[in-house]
Amino acid sequence: VDGAGDIGATGDPDNAYQAGLAIGASLSGLGFNVDFAPAADLANVEGSVMSGRAYAADAATASGFVTSMMRGLEEQNVTACLKHFPGIGSTTQDTHDGRVITERTEEQFWAEELAVFQAGIDNGANMIMVSHMAAPALTGDNEPSIFSRVLVTDILRNQMGFQGVVIT
């Protein structure tokens, strides 16, 4: 088992928990106390940039794996960081290569991508990384998510109730 996609393919969220324990123990043993994982993204379009890197294509499945991985890391005193808010799996473009815009609707985001992050928040997530992708259905413009007060403050903090560390 290599990455999140492989772990998700097992169908057993306990495998994500065990991975979190093992990775957390290794990191903690080296003196690290944060892991920029797990990816809370969905690989939910053909050719998704998150293929192989996401636990699943649907929110219900991915949520169990994300929260299990998070719990394993946290039990080793390593803070998990859910990424890439609001979810970059609905695009085939890589934000490391330039401007990326998703065509997801607000309804799709709330039913799918944001549901995974909400599960993490509800299970005690302490840190969330905001992506560089533009999500005009949520923000009302084509600016990258990292520049959006609507996304970070209005949605993540106020609507979703996240009060932890937000980074990019």
Side-chain angles (χ1 to χ4, degrees):
V1 177
D2 294 307
D6 294 325
I7 294 170
T10 69
D12 185 357
D14 188 58
N15 290 324
Y17 171 71
Q18 295 300 324
L21 286 175
I23 293 167
S26 293
L27 292 174
S28 183
L30 294 169
F32 292 99
N33 61 4
V34 174
D35 187 7
F36 293 106
D41 302 290
L42 301 173
N44 57 357
V45 297
E46 178 86 21
S48 171
V49 70
M50 291 305 294
S51 292
R53 295 177 54 206
Y55 290 106
D58 67 283
T61 302
S63 293
F65 284 91
V66 168
T67 58
S68 292
M69 174 69 165
M70 185 178 79
R71 192 174 79 249
L73 288 168
E74 299 281 345
E75 285 181 14
Q76 297 299 314
N77 298 312
V78 174
T79 298
C81 178
L82 305 184
K83 61 183 184 181
H84 305 88
F85 189 82
I88 63 172
S90 64
T91 182
T92 59
Q93 302 162 306
D94 188 338
T95 57
H96 298 107
D97 296 333
R99 188 174 188 90
V100 174
I101 300 173
T102 182
E103 299 302 320
R104 301 295 275 174
T105 66
E106 182 176 11
E107 293 76 20
Q108 286 172 315
F109 266 111
W110 282 106
E112 299 176 40
E113 287 88 348
L114 296 180
V116 181
F117 285 94
Q118 189 68 64
I121 292 166
D122 292 347
N123 281 277
N126 293 306
M127 184 181 287
I128 293 178
M129 180 188 294
V130 178
S131 79
H132 304 301
M133 176 189 75
L138 293 175
T139 64
D141 58 39
N142 288 330
E143 288 296 315
S145 297
I146 59 170
F147 299 127
S148 175
R149 180 175 178 80
V150 169
L151 190 72
V152 176
T153 301
D154 298 347
I155 294 175
L156 181 59
R157 294 244 186 245
N158 296 338
Q159 288 182 267
M160 298 178 76
F162 183 68
Q163 297 306 312
V165 176
V166 177
I167 64 162
T168 185

